[in-house]
């Protein structure tokens, strides 16, 4: 099974599992109290990008120095393909010490989206050098290592990501896809089971 096919199968299974737990947003709710700064993160997590963008924008209008809202808006823009706008917002976080890592991580994701794996790896590596608990950057390093066939580095990075997170489902899932791509079906199945349990 190809690496990309494994990702597609795993992603399809994850989407199917999530579909049964989807929360419907009615047209009335779309224009009412759901679009608030307090609900922005929930809207983002559920994939309501337009609503989340409105909520984060509202928060920034109230306080332009709200770094959490700036980061949230950048995430929404990145996920909805507005990479230039996302880049501008991530860059504004670089001057705020407690948000610098998240800004660099976001810029790394944009590099990856644009196909610049070397720049993405450099930025993700800089993040984990500053913050060893940045599990999403460890996970990204593992995935980039998978794509380059550096299995040893991938396994090490998956291990670091697993040690650094309290939400291991994505780490187990992606490591399982990696092992499946290498022909280790039984080990992959074990990790997929752990992902489902998590």
């Amino acid at each position: 099974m190809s690496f990309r096919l494994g990702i597609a199968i795993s992603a399809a299974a994850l989407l199917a599992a999530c579909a049964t737990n989807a929360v419907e947003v009615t047209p009335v709710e779309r224009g009412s109290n759901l679009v608030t700064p307090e609900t922005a993160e929930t809207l983002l997590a559920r994939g309501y990008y337009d609503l989340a963008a409105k909520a984060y924008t509202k928060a920034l209008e109230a306080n332009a120095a709200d770094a959490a809202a700036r980061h949230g808006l950048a995430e929404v823009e990145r996920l909805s393909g507005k990479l230039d706008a996302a880049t501008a917002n991530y860059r504004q976080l670089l001057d705020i010490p407690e948000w610098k890592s998240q800004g660099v991580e976001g810029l790394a994701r944009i590099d990856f989206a644009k196909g610049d794996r070397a720049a993405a790896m450099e930025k993700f590596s800089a993040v984990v050098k500053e913050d060893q608990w940045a599990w999403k950057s460890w996970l990204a390093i593992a995935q980039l290592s998978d794509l380059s066939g550096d299995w040893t580095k991938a396994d090490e990075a998956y291990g670091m990501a697993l040690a650094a997170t309290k939400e291991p489902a994505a780490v187990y899932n992606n490591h399982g896809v990696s092992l499946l791509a290498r022909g280790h079906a039984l080990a992959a199945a074990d990790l997929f089971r752990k992902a489902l349990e998590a």
Side-chain angles (χ1 to χ4, degrees):
M1 177 182 295
S2 76
F3 185 69
R4 288 180 188 210
L5 179 59
I7 291 173
I9 291 170
S10 184
L14 184 59
L15 286 173
C18 292
T20 59
N21 297 324
V23 176
E24 292 296 320
V25 177
T26 68
V28 172
E29 289 173 322
R30 286 174 196 248
S32 66
N33 62 348
L34 274 185
V35 185
T36 66
E38 293 74 27
T39 58
E41 190 174 335
T42 301
L43 292 166
L44 173 59
R46 291 182 180 169
Y48 297 112
Y49 298 143
D50 290 342
L51 293 174
K54 287 178 187 175
Y56 286 124
T57 300
K58 188 182 289 187
L60 287 168
E61 286 169 356
N63 177 10
D66 184 343
R70 176 87 48 209
H71 180 261
L73 182 57
E75 290 285 281
V76 169
E77 291 165 340
R78 177 179 62 81
L79 291 167
S80 56
K82 300 172 183 170
L83 301 185
D84 291 339
T87 297
N89 278 308
Y90 285 129
R91 284 190 177 143
Q92 289 190 46
L93 297 173
L94 300 180
D95 295 328
I96 307 169
E98 58 271 21
W99 284 92
K100 182 178 179 181
S101 288
Q102 290 94 327
V104 174
E105 188 175 76
L107 292 171
R109 293 189 188 289
I110 289 174
D111 285 338
F112 183 75
K114 291 181 175 179
D116 192 344
R117 292 182 189 172
M121 179 66 90
E122 183 179 328
K123 287 182 178 74
F124 285 126
S125 297
V127 171
V128 298
K129 185 175 180 182
E130 292 292 319
D131 178 7
Q132 67 177 353
W133 302 106
W135 74 271
K136 291 180 181 178
S137 285
W138 281 118
L139 185 57
I141 289 168
Q143 293 168 313
L144 285 165
S145 299
D146 280 335
L147 291 171
S148 66
D150 189 343
W151 309 123
T152 300
K153 187 171 183 176
D155 288 339
E156 289 171 359
Y158 282 121
M160 294 299 291
L162 190 59
T165 185
K166 294 178 182 176
E167 300 173 8
V171 180
Y172 286 135
N173 180 71
N174 291 9
H175 198 184
V177 172
S178 173
L179 291 174
L180 193 60
R182 302 179 225 173
H184 304 298
L186 291 177
D190 184 50
L191 289 176
F192 292 141
R193 264 187 231 100
K194 288 181 177 179
L196 290 170
E197 289 168 5

